[in-house]
Amino acid sequence: MKITFLGAARKVTGSCFHLSANGLQFLVDCGMHQGLESDELNRRPFGFNPREIDCVFLTHAHIDHTGLVPRLVREGFKGSIITTAATAELSRVMLADSAHIQEMDAQWMTKKARRAGSEKVVEPLYSVEDAIASIPFFEKKQYGEVYNLKNGFRYRFCDAGHILGSATLELWYRNSPERTILFSGDIGKKGNPIVQDPEHTAKADYVVVESTYGNRLHKGVGDSLEELAGAVESTFRRGGNVYIPAFAVGRTQDLIYIFNKLVREGRLASPLEIYVDSPLADEVTKIYSSHPELFDKDAKGLFGKKKGKAVRVHFTSSVDASMKLNRITSGIIVLAGSGMCDGGRIRHHLKHNLWRPECSVVFVGFQAKGTLGRAIVDGSKEVWILGDKVAVQSRVFTIGGFSAHADQKELLEWLGLFQNKPEVFIVHGEESAALDFEKQVKEKLGFVTKVPALGESYEI
Ligand SMILES: [Zn+2]
């Protein structure tokens, strides 16, 4: 079998691996590139003919693993998109949301070009129609079951413990002697809120493993919970609100869960009023609630049940309801996207409140260079938001312990659980993280390793 690394090679986003053998061609993930030069990367030719792809396996619903599916379908893909039920459901709302953002961006760029005297019309990467057209291709599968594909291929998804529906993919591609390759997807850290801990398979001949935090160790969750409770309590005492930029999928649901836990344990006073200001987060949370069978023991009973008065979660879908939130000046927590403040409703909240010393902004996720979130975290005294200069006078907290990814130690432990010594391809990490992790895997586990470059192929 031939494997070609078409994305997430020496970088974090754009996961896409092309496999061909026995007259079949398939992809594992078809993700969007994000960050520097992403527009160009997302628009260039795929490197295969979408009409010839028999199936696409998706490891989870994050857009850097699924975001180019609508483009694939628009360019003639007619195969199956195979994934877990929860990933299929989450992808439906996320791909539509992504398409909407693409359309808005294209409109904005066209307008900008017009203003500069150009006739150029910027086409969106794909449209909402393309996203909707992708949905019938999805096939929902169960964790733990071995399914036959065709031509002797078999596969199985196991829980990766990263977000709802996230999976590792095990693929049997030869029978005698039997050969397997395992794709880690994104691996969760143990004890992630809501979802189960990552499952493990006994052996594999090849493993394609992520390395997002291949060179870093996370701070303990205990300290982070303490810090979060302290931030909320001190802000309420000063008479302000807490604003938390959060991605709609995974992080928002984790935070709702964490705040429930803090109130239940008496570390925050009840009732706690949380406003989730994002239509996407509302839909995603409903999908989370409809899959209690995927929750870990602690989380069962949190979603789906009436929660009593300890924590009151309000979803504000309409723009009108979102704007009304500005009238509440103290005592609430507002969760809104985007996670890095480079888009979404959080920017309106920051514009109206960042200058208020009694308020706080709590960052719980990675802030990429060049984003508004990064400027605030880095200590800018004033920032531009939606055309206005705003003084940064709120208190700013950066809390690092809530990442949904395994860190270096946990990634090594995960690899160390294989009973044989698989050959390892390290992907989905910035180059420095991937290379650092490779060194550790060689030294500590003695595995043969490769850190593939973009477009590189191997015969396995
Ligand atoms: Zn992910």
Side-chain angles (χ1 to χ4, degrees), residues 60 62 162 186:
H60 65 289
H62 275 151
H162 171 61
D186 286 359

Side-chain angles (χ1 to χ4, degrees), residues 104-149:
M104 292 292 132
D105 283 357
Q107 263 176 32
W108 183 78
M109 281 189 278
T110 303
K111 198 168 146 195
K112 206 171 138 192
R114 287 264 161 81
R115 222 183 281 146
S118 158
E119 289 296 298
K120 198 173 127 193
V121 175
V122 180
E123 290 295 331
L125 182 59
Y126 50 80
S127 64
V128 171
E129 239 168 60
D130 296 323
I132 292 168
S134 319
I135 304 311
F137 294 96
F138 277 80
E139 286 181 23
K140 299 175 178 180
K141 303 293 174 187
Q142 303 278 349
Y143 284 130
E145 265 187 54
V146 178
Y147 295 95
N148 288 315
L149 196 58

Side-chain angles (χ1 to χ4, degrees), residues 164 191-196 250 253-255 257 288 294-297 299-300 302-303:
L164 196 82
N192 262 352
I194 304 171
V195 293
Q196 308 265 10
Q253 294 73 30
D254 289 356
L255 284 166
Y257 171 82
Y288 263 68
L294 301 178
F295 294 176
D296 64 12
K297 221 170 82 208
K300 286 195 171 143
L302 170 68
F303 287 96

Side-chain angles (χ1 to χ4, degrees), residues 60 62 64-65 162-163 186 405 428:
H60 65 289
H62 275 151
D64 61 323
H65 293 255
H162 171 61
I163 61 167
D186 286 359
H405 283 267
H428 201 289

